Amino acid sequence: MAEGAPVKVIARDKITDATAALFTGSVEVPERFIRADEVEAAGAVVGEDETFEMPVVDMASLLDPELSATETAKLGSACREWAAMQQMKDSAAQFFSLPLETKNTVAVRGDSIQGFGHHFSGATSDKLDWAECLLLFTHRRLLGFMAADLGVSEEALQGAFFSGDGDDAVKGQSMSMHHYPPCRRHRHKVVGIPPHTDSPALTLLLQVDDTPGLQIRRGGRWFPVRPTPGCLVVNVGDILDVLTNGEYGSVQHRVVPDAERHRWVQKPQNLVSINRRHFGAVRGILLVDASVNVKFEEGATFVFGSWLCIANHDGKLQRELRDEAVASAPPPAQITPRGSRKTPNFDTISGSYPTRRSTWRQKPSSTRTNDDSGLSLLGGLRIISSIRQSTSVMTVTSVIQEARPRSTLRLVGSVAMVLFLSGQGSFFDKNPDYGNQQGSFFDTNPDYDDQPSSFSTKNSDSARLHQRIVHESS
Ligand SMILES: O=C(O)CCC(=O)C(=O)O
Ligand SMILES: [Fe+2]
């Protein structure tokens, strides 16, 4: 370090009762809080009376062939001059009010889930949702436009972010925007989004308006999640379900339209991939260090991956179908847990999935139903502790301190937490052959060298693999 350079002190103090009292309105400010010199030295704040415009980059314009060049230049100048921007501000409502013809310039194509169209998740039949959705792989898109502006190769820039895990890895971050038009005459006969659980570890939903519609299932009934200004709704998703051994069950939810009012929702999401880097890291954090009820010997993680594949069989498998598959599986392989089991909920079941060969573990169906999911409306940043109490939906208030529900940028703090939990990368984009993916994952993963090269459920494999599961003794 250069001589005389300031030493950065990183330390934190607890908020004392005295401080809390201070914050709620005391006029006396103790000396310890006074730092007028620092404030003065740091420079002036832009005056209230001065006007300036923070760049707002519009994703819809970036994607519009006619507007793209201009918008890309704007993105470039935002990055150069501000190194920050407000992206997709107000975009949900704005985008959906464009003429259909314009919206269809970014229509879904082929097998991709990206683009404008109906929602992609949870459809159990050929019925259509009473909703329109725009889904964008935001990270990749933005980097692409930045590369164009910088005049560098897109692959090179993408590659700097994601190293060698294939195309899926760069699709990890996406943004969905939903519009549920009112259904005046037949509201009870249509569904905005049918019941489903979300694949990502956590879903954050930022509602643009205060129209009700989201409902979560609990105790055989649907609980409306009432829109609260400045709140994010956070759903526990399948990946967290799997990573926590089902301790935090993913929540089943659906959306019903309102009779009179439109509803707009923005949903940034990060899908975890079960590739070696991220799954390993997440496993380390959640499954071992966080002292959940079951610990795994090195190499046993594949069981979760397998469960995950079942959960996402053919893009999306409903919870009922998953439970059904487990229920109709052959009798569990004999497992001899080491030590006594802390909770009977974590019994292991193995068997063949009816149409795909896999092994998985699952709570017994008697203890693992859709209704395991709890509902709790919480204030503050109690996300993690709430999740530990098997809470599957929560509303987070103080994450967005100065809530401006229309600004996506406000989400950054909480998204960072999700990133931390879920890593990067996507496994779930339509892949016709999960079998190969499973095989190649473990074949090429040095951490799992001693695993079989595929998820064949030959009994010997299954028994051998399950013997590796160690239940934490109580
Ligand atoms: O619109 C909502 O509130 C929920 C949307 C949803 O469930 C989803 O996109 O997976
Ligand atoms: Fe969902």
Side-chain angles (χ1 to χ4, degrees):
M1 189 189 295
E3 216 176 305
V7 179
K8 198 172 176 187
V9 179
I10 301 176
R12 304 196 64 219
D13 275 5
K14 279 190 176 158
I15 304 288
T16 60
D17 288 345
T19 305
L22 200 66
F23 288 169
T24 52
S26 167
V27 285
E28 289 294 321
V29 180
E31 189 54 35
R32 178 120 199 251
F33 288 84
I34 306 285
R35 50 213 309 183
D37 295 351
E38 279 175 48
V39 175
E40 197 182 326
V45 179
V46 172
E48 294 272 323
D49 53 344
E50 292 175 77
T51 54
F52 69 93
E53 234 171 275
M54 177 115 183
V56 175
V57 176
D58 179 23
M59 198 69 177
S61 302
L62 282 173
L63 292 167
D64 184 326
E66 277 179 27
L67 305 174
S68 190
T70 315
E71 202 67 13
T72 302
K74 201 162 141 192
L75 169 81
S77 91
C79 293
R80 285 188 186 85
E81 290 160 32
W82 289 82
M85 66 197 119
Q86 288 181 285
Q87 195 213 337
M88 302 204 290
K89 189 166 177 289
D90 295 342
S91 52
Q94 271 175 10
F95 177 82
F96 291 116
S97 57
L98 291 169
L100 179 62
E101 197 189 334
T102 313
K103 289 188 281 192
N104 269 334
T105 58
V106 291
V108 283
R109 276 193 217 111
D111 271 352
S112 177
I113 57 172
Q114 183 172 225
F116 173 67
H118 284 280
H119 190 245
F120 65 93
S121 176
T124 48
S125 64
D126 58 0
K127 303 278 186 210
L128 291 176
D129 301 341
W130 189 267
E132 47 184 2
C133 167
L134 174 68
L135 187 147
L136 302 166
F137 296 127
T138 38
H139 202 146
R140 188 173 63 154
R141 283 282 168 180
L142 276 178
L143 287 175
F145 290 115
M146 285 175 182
D149 174 70
L150 288 165
V152 300
S153 127
E154 183 177 338
E155 289 72 30
L157 192 59
Q158 304 274 16
F161 282 73
F162 305 100
S163 51
D165 282 311
D167 189 40
D168 272 351
V170 294
K171 293 178 187 164
Q173 188 182 65
S174 63
M175 167 67 88
S176 289
M177 289 185 273
H178 302 301
H179 170 220
Y180 307 90
C183 186
R184 291 195 170 81
R185 296 187 48 202
H186 299 289
R187 167 167 104 85
H188 298 294
K189 295 185 187 163
V190 301
V191 178
I193 291 181
H196 67 282
T197 57
D198 293 341
S199 296
L202 290 175
T203 305
L204 301 182
L205 294 164
L206 178 64
Q207 195 165 332
V208 173
D209 48 67
D210 58 2
T211 309
L214 176 64
Q215 302 179 339
I216 71 140
R217 192 170 164 85
R218 190 181 189 226
R221 293 191 298 156
W222 291 101
F223 285 70
V225 178
R226 301 201 173 95
T228 311
C231 285
L232 293 170
V233 173
V234 181
N235 291 344
V236 167
D238 294 339
I239 287 167
L240 202 51
D241 188 329
V242 170
L243 291 174
T244 59
N245 250 345
E247 180 142 333
Y248 320 148
S250 54
V251 66
Q252 202 185 35
H253 56 286
R254 69 174 187 184
V255 180
V256 295
D258 191 73
E260 304 295 334
R261 291 179 292 168
H262 293 260
R263 183 167 179 273
W264 288 281
V265 162
Q266 299 191 174
K267 184 181 89 161
Q269 60 192 357
N270 277 82
L271 297 184
V272 73
S273 85
I274 50 170
N275 63 35
R276 69 193 88 151
R277 272 187 306 145
H278 306 115
F279 196 70
V282 175
R283 180 190 59 183
I285 295 162
L286 282 174
L287 295 185
V288 180
D289 299 343
S291 317
V292 292
N293 290 317
V294 181
K295 285 187 175 179
F296 297 87
E297 280 185 333
E298 191 58 29
T301 319
F302 74 94
V303 180
F304 289 95
S306 183
W307 190 93
L308 203 56
C309 293
I310 292 169
N312 291 279
H313 169 73
D314 287 342
K316 193 79 202 175
L317 190 61
Q318 294 278 294
R319 173 57 67 75
E320 285 89 348
L321 299 182
R322 281 187 249 163
D323 290 346
E324 216 174 86
V326 171
S328 64
Q334 197 54 47
I335 297 141
T336 318
R338 280 198 232 142
S340 60
R341 264 167 279 159
K342 198 168 186 172
T343 156
N345 287 4
F346 293 94
D347 273 339
T348 301
I349 296 171
S350 75
S352 306
Y353 180 64
T355 56
R356 297 214 180 224
R357 298 186 309 159
S358 289
T359 57
W360 67 89
R361 66 173 304 288
Q362 170 74 289
K363 285 190 198 178
S365 48
S366 60
T367 58
R368 193 179 196 304
T369 66
N370 295 326
D371 303 334
D372 276 355
S373 310
L375 167 68
S376 171
L377 299 178
L378 298 170
L381 280 166
R382 291 161 56 200
I383 297 179
I384 297 299
S385 63
S386 313
I387 293 170
R388 290 211 174 120
Q389 293 153 17
S390 291
T391 303
S392 287
V393 168
M394 61 213 92
T395 303
V396 185
T397 47
S398 60
V399 173
I400 320 178
Q401 289 290 344
E402 301 162 67
R404 283 201 216 151
R406 293 183 182 216
S407 166
T408 312
L409 208 67
R410 301 278 156 188
L411 288 169
V412 166
S414 40
V415 171
M417 191 203 74
V418 178
L419 278 172
F420 168 71
L421 282 171
S422 67
Q424 298 278 351
S426 160
F427 178 73
F428 302 112
D429 284 297
K430 283 258 159 69
N431 187 317
D433 196 343
Y434 278 107
N436 281 349
Q437 281 215 11
Q438 293 162 352
S440 61
F441 162 53
F442 292 105
D443 285 347
T444 56
N445 189 330
D447 290 345
Y448 299 92
D449 272 345
D450 55 349
Q451 296 303 315
S453 59
S454 81
F455 275 88
S456 146
T457 48
K458 276 181 275 161
N459 277 343
S460 56
D461 285 352
S462 181
R464 183 161 78 83
L465 298 173
H466 280 95
Q467 273 163 12
R468 302 176 67 101
I469 297 173
V470 180
H471 291 254
E472 190 185 56
S473 49
S474 48

